[in-house]
Amino acid sequence: MTADVTDTKRALRAELRERRRTRTSKQVEEATEGFTRNLVAVAETYGARTIASYLSSPTEPNTRPFLNWAVAGGRRVLLPIGRTDGLLDWTEGDGESETEGLHGVPEAVGEILGPIAINDADLIVVPASAVDGRGIRMGWGRGYFDRTLGSMERCPPVFALVYDDEILDEVPREVHDAPVDGAVTPTRIVRFTH
């Protein structure tokens, strides 16, 4: 990783983090309705019975209404548990029980299923700070999802959740940055071809 790419990513993440922090509660509430509607459409399009997703932090697009929809519909929801070795364990989430995990990230409370549990997923919803027109996802810098996606034998469709202004012309890319199949915003579903 070159220092230039690292510095560029760091600066872009800081800008995007500030944009999210300054969104009004009305903007966030309206966006949540759109995110939920579009995530439901993606899950139904793929007939997803097992969905791996993250629990959103207060500044991230809210995943909880979508996860509640999935649980209420009898779908299996896998939620990540961060590990100190940089990998993710998974647990089945009920959309209600959660705690603060590593790095202050919200995590579900439940039986630890281990890293390979994600191989059962029919759809994966990942956090992102931005996505570009090629489907390159820029996360928040810890690499958990890049390692997870890079280690899967068979990867189902992967969608990043971002606001409309976070789909950029280009994001800085490193070798380990795995492209996503699509992005879900409050107003649209974008699919990428690789």
Side-chain angles (χ1 to χ4, degrees), residues 74-174:
R75 288 165 180 82
R76 183 177 183 217
V77 173
L78 297 173
L79 299 168
I81 308 283
R83 295 177 13 169
T84 56
D85 64 0
L87 299 177
L88 292 173
D89 281 325
W90 297 87
T91 189
E92 284 193 43
D94 61 7
E96 300 296 324
S97 307
E98 57 184 83
T99 187
E100 187 175 297
L102 285 179
H103 313 293
V105 174
E107 291 184 348
V109 175
E111 177 188 350
I112 302 296
L113 303 175
I116 65 169
I118 195 171
N119 289 322
D120 295 338
D122 302 312
L123 173 67
I124 301 173
V125 178
V126 295
S129 59
V131 177
D132 71 18
R134 303 168 297 167
I136 303 304
R137 168 192 166 270
M138 187 172 73
W140 293 105
R142 293 194 182 95
Y144 282 97
F145 281 95
D146 287 321
R147 279 187 288 282
T148 297
L149 298 174
S151 69
M152 294 182 72
E153 290 178 23
R154 175 198 63 83
C155 197
V158 178
F159 280 76
L161 208 53
V162 292
Y163 287 92
D164 289 287
D165 60 358
E166 295 168 346
I167 296 182
L168 308 177
D169 291 337
E170 186 175 3
V171 297
R173 183 178 190 182
E174 297 172 80

Side-chain angles (χ1 to χ4, degrees), residues 3 6 20 50 83 113 154 157 179 193:
T6 302
R20 285 190 178 181
T50 299
R83 295 177 13 169
L113 303 175
R154 175 198 63 83
T193 55

Side-chain angles (χ1 to χ4, degrees), residues 4 16 27 33 36 39 58 64 66 70 72 103 106 122 129-130 175 182 186 190:
D4 288 347
L16 294 164
Q27 288 172 322
E33 292 173 14
T36 303
L39 280 169
R64 285 166 185 79
F66 168 66
H103 313 293
D122 302 312
S129 59
V175 173
V190 181

